[in-house]
Amino acid sequence: MKRIVTVKILKTGCKAVACLFVLSVVTLAVLSCIAYHKHLNRHYLYKSLSSNVSVHEFPEHDELRVYNDSTRRYTLKGVQWVADAPRNDSLTVFCRNGKRGFLNVYSGETAIPEQYRRAWVFSEGVAAVVKGGKLGFVDARNETVIPFQYDYACRNGMAIDYLFRGGYCTMTDSRGACGLIDRSGRWVIEAQYDCIWPPHEGKYRIVKEGEAYGLLDENLEFVFPIEYESIEYSDDKGVFLSKDGYKWQADYDGTVLKSFVCDYTDYMSYASGYDSHAEEDSCDETRFSALAYTLSDYLTYTIDNRCGVVRKDDGKVIIPARYDQINMLSPTLFEAQEPKDGLWVLIDIHGKVVER
């Protein structure tokens, strides 16, 4: 009788152990599935579009998803990229399956489904899009405002944002040349320039043609013609203009505010003799001498990586900033390296080239 009871106990124990084993395996499988699911769905904050809407990156799925924090749901999945939220508009561009569309940055919902080969954010109520190889403008209801009649051209890194500012938008032709159109789509400046930058202070546009720059005002008249080597906006007033090795600050009406401006200056010195050292070499007992240098009355100055020379006492330019390098050889002579061929020329303290 005892043996029968013992056998029953052993059988019951084996069944319990087997059940525990099966339960452990099932539990481990479930936990593994949960961990794998979490791994597949791990995500990171990619960017915020508004206080309610953000974009999450899912590395394992190689996609972005748009999330509405208020409703706690994803409004758009399988996205390749989302443009930053524009400052003064509720719509921004997204790309899915290689096509561009628009979404609302406050709800995350699709406003215009992806359908365009290229698209830019809205400005002054319209957005530039490319359809059928031509560029035109649509409104928030996806209705054509300006017909698809312009050429989108590759510009070798000099990108155009195709945004309206102050009623005008930089536009390109088939060659990639730039002009300006108005809200009716009319060319107000024909496409003929290398680039037209967005307006500064809503008024002034820098124009580039070849290696020269000019400046347009709000009436699209040239304040400064296209003849300057560079034009930069000043933080305090007006612009900085550089030409022929000179740089100065001027107001928008052409009034000179600072007659001399440069990027930086440095001291100049020249070899004026030898300074004998008492040091002797332990092997041949040779006495060494080193060149002695004298600080000059001149400074090198730099404009756009080109060097020139200016006098210390009165700031007068002796050599305009047109050279790659300038060294002082004596109290009355400089050597300067030409930027085109790398050859050196000799220039005296009056700025005259005495030898090439």
Side-chain angles (χ1 to χ4, degrees):
M1 186 69 180
K2 289 182 178 180
R3 185 172 182 176
I4 294 173
V5 172
T6 303
V7 171
K8 287 183 177 180
I9 291 173
L10 288 174
K11 287 182 177 180
T12 303
C14 289
K15 288 181 180 180
V17 170
C19 290
L20 287 173
F21 177 76
V22 171
L23 182 61
S24 298
V25 171
V26 171
T27 303
L28 182 61
V30 170
L31 292 175
S32 297
C33 289
I34 293 174
Y36 183 66
H37 179 75
K38 287 184 177 180
H39 173 73
L40 283 180
N41 289 282
R42 65 190 178 94
H43 59 273
Y44 309 95
L45 177 65
Y46 184 73
K47 67 172 64 176
S48 295
L49 298 178
S50 66
S51 58
N52 292 326
V53 177
S54 56
V55 181
H56 296 170
E57 179 181 7
F58 287 75
E60 302 304 322
H61 296 272
D62 192 26
E63 68 170 329
L64 301 177
R65 298 177 186 176
V66 180
Y67 184 73
N68 187 312
D69 296 317
S70 299
T71 61
R72 295 186 178 182
R73 69 182 185 90
Y74 286 101
T75 58
L76 194 58
K77 298 180 180 180
V79 177
Q80 292 167 269
W81 55 261
V82 180
D84 292 334
R87 182 178 299 177
N88 299 316
D89 207 284
S90 60
L91 303 183
T92 194
V93 183
F94 72 91
C95 178
R96 184 164 61 176
N97 299 321
K99 297 291 186 180
R100 274 71 160 168
F102 295 85
L103 63 86
N104 189 300
V105 299
Y106 299 110
S107 67
E109 301 290 344
T110 301
I112 299 175
E114 63 274 17
Q115 58 192 275
Y116 296 110
R117 187 169 68 87
R118 294 185 182 275
W120 291 263
V121 296
F122 274 77
S123 61
E124 299 184 5
V126 296
V129 293
V130 173
K131 182 173 70 173
K134 291 291 185 178
L135 190 147
F137 291 81
V138 297
D139 61 17
R141 295 173 296 180
N142 202 28
E143 295 181 355
T144 301
V145 177
I146 300 177
F148 292 86
Q149 58 188 348
Y150 307 103
D151 293 291
Y152 172 76
C154 178
R155 290 176 41 79
N156 298 321
M158 294 181 64
I160 300 297
D161 58 17
Y162 299 104
L163 301 182
F164 273 94
R165 296 180 177 89
Y168 302 109
C169 175
T170 300
M171 185 52 63
T172 51
D173 65 6
S174 58
R175 302 166 300 160
C178 291
L180 289 176
I181 61 170
D182 61 16
R183 284 297 303 272
S184 70
R186 180 178 63 92
W187 289 97
V188 291
I189 292 182
E190 294 295 329
Q192 56 186 303
Y193 302 111
D194 291 337
C195 196
I196 301 178
W197 272 266
H200 177 67
E201 297 180 350
K203 297 180 180 180
Y204 303 99
R205 289 175 165 87
I206 293 176
V207 180
K208 182 179 186 292
E209 183 177 16
E211 298 301 319
Y213 298 83
L215 189 70
L216 291 170
D217 64 13
E218 58 187 326
N219 298 316
L220 307 185
E221 299 289 339
F222 276 103
V223 179
F224 298 105
I226 302 178
E227 59 182 31
Y228 297 91
E229 294 168 9
S230 71
I231 298 179
E232 307 166 44
Y233 298 115
S234 171
D235 291 334
D236 53 1
K237 190 175 183 181
V239 292
F240 294 111
L241 305 167
S242 64
K243 182 180 178 182
D244 298 330
Y246 295 88
K247 188 174 185 178
W248 64 99
Q249 183 180 4
D251 206 344
Y252 292 109
D253 61 4
T255 302
V256 175
L257 303 176
K258 292 181 182 178
S259 58
F260 177 79
V261 177
C262 66
D263 298 333
Y264 59 86
T265 61
D266 200 0
Y267 292 102
M268 299 193 78
S269 57
Y270 57 90
S272 56
Y274 290 93
D275 182 14
S276 297
H277 290 274
E279 255 180 72
E280 294 182 352
D281 188 277
S282 59
C283 296
D284 57 12
E285 297 184 352
T286 302
R287 184 178 292 274
F288 292 97
S289 296
L291 288 172
Y293 287 88
T294 300
L295 198 62
S296 75
D297 295 326
Y298 302 93
L299 300 171
T300 56
Y301 74 96
T302 304
I303 296 175
D304 299 330
N305 296 319
R306 292 284 186 263
C307 296
V309 175
V310 64
R311 206 155 54 194
K312 276 185 188 178
D313 55 1
D314 58 6
K316 181 182 178 182
V317 173
I318 304 300
I319 303 174
R322 300 170 183 165
Y323 299 94
D324 281 344
Q325 298 182 61
I326 296 180
N327 303 313
M328 197 165 190
L329 301 179
S330 73
T332 60
L333 194 64
F334 306 92
E335 64 171 0
Q337 187 179 33
E338 297 274 10
K340 291 184 179 180
D341 51 24
L343 297 179
W344 291 83
V345 297
L346 298 180
I347 304 175
D348 65 19
I349 57 173
H350 304 292
K352 181 180 179 181
V353 176
V354 296
E355 185 180 328
R356 289 187 179 276

